[in-house]
Amino acid sequence: MIKNRIWFATGNKHKVQEAGEVLTPYGIKLEHYPLERIEIQADDPADIAAYSLAQVKDPRPLCVEDAGVFIDRWGGFPGPYSSYVLKCLGNPGILKLMEGEQNRKAHYVSAIAYRDESGVHIFRGTVDGEIGDSIQGTNGFGYDPIFIPAEGDGRTFGEMEPEEKNKISHRARAFRALAEWLTE
Ligand code: ITT
């Protein structure tokens, strides 16, 4: 199933940048494919990604990713609603709602739905961490300035260089799993 060029359908240029850097060492070039689709809501990001993928009618090897942040204390919310919640509340709003909260555990999830002539395949990645108590750093995007990965040194993803985030992020793990499968 060796492939050296695949397409990533997304409206988020940060995702393309991060995923492209993960695939380069495997000799796979990632091309951006503009994504226009209706995004469903579902508990599992893999179901959302697979539904979005099904709407893209293109025979080339192509993937869609759905990602989100799941906050333990809130039963996983915002999860699949991550982009909507960020748009409505922003990171300051999340921090306000978490004020005084001791259990700040959270994790990011990424699910990729990839399709080629062999069919549709799902790849997943997660990273554990916690929601900080202030906004720190300007790197990355979305929730990165308030997400402190457990495997780090206390800095948020927003304070890390892109290659540091890419060593441990949910997206990097999912795309590495895809790359290993594509090159095996
Ligand atoms: P698509 O066009 O690929 O759907 P999107 O930005 O809408 O791009 P999602 O539907 O997967 O992506 O929404 C996930 C949201 O979760 C995203 O907008 C961010 O707010 C947040 N998120 C996901 N991964 C993140 C990451 O690595 N860093 C920060 N925030 C992230």
Side-chain angles (χ1 to χ4, degrees):
M1 202 52 61
I2 291 176
K3 292 268 181 311
N4 55 18
R5 195 175 180 211
I6 66 169
W7 279 260
F8 182 12
T10 175
N12 184 328
K13 64 180 188 336
H14 299 280
K15 287 183 168 188
V16 183
Q17 180 72 26
E18 289 182 10
E21 280 162 21
V22 170
L23 297 189
T24 301
Y26 292 88
I28 303 168
K29 183 153 172 37
L30 188 69
E31 305 278 3
H32 183 209
Y33 187 104
L35 176 61
E36 280 171 33
R37 51 82 172 84
I38 296 159
E39 188 171 305
I40 57 156
Q41 296 299 348
D43 289 348
D44 185 348
D47 292 338
I48 300 172
Y51 188 90
S52 296
L53 178 66
Q55 293 177 63
V56 183
K57 307 293 179 202
D58 193 299
R60 293 177 288 188
L62 186 138
C63 65
V64 173
E65 184 223 28
D66 191 75
V69 68
F70 292 67
I71 297 175
D72 283 17
R73 185 65 183 83
W74 294 348
F77 184 81
Y81 304 97
S82 291
S83 51
Y84 182 67
V85 167
L86 193 70
K87 192 173 75 185
C88 297
L89 304 179
N91 286 325
I94 302 273
L95 293 180
K96 184 120 194 72
L97 290 174
M98 293 280 291
E99 244 169 42
E101 186 55 65
Q102 295 304 308
N103 177 5
R104 307 186 73 88
K105 286 201 174 76
H107 59 281
Y108 273 128
V109 172
S110 160
I112 300 168
Y114 167 81
R115 178 182 64 216
D116 62 17
E117 67 284 355
S118 70
V120 175
H121 307 270
I122 303 291
F123 301 88
R124 297 170 193 266
T126 65
V127 58
D128 291 333
E130 59 181 55
I131 303 299
D133 50 22
S134 60
I135 292 174
Q136 298 294 338
T138 54
N139 290 340
F141 66 98
Y143 296 87
D144 285 343
I146 62 167
F147 185 86
I148 303 171
E151 290 154 83
D153 54 9
R155 284 176 301 152
T156 65
F157 269 156
E159 294 175 283
M160 293 186 178
E161 294 306 320
E163 32 319 336
E164 291 181 275
K165 179 182 175 188
N166 247 353
K167 274 196 193 123
I168 56 173
S169 83
H170 53 312
R171 178 162 305 101
R173 286 177 168 146
F175 273 93
R176 236 173 261 133
L178 168 63
E180 273 159 26
W181 182 79
L182 286 173
T183 54
E184 78 189 3

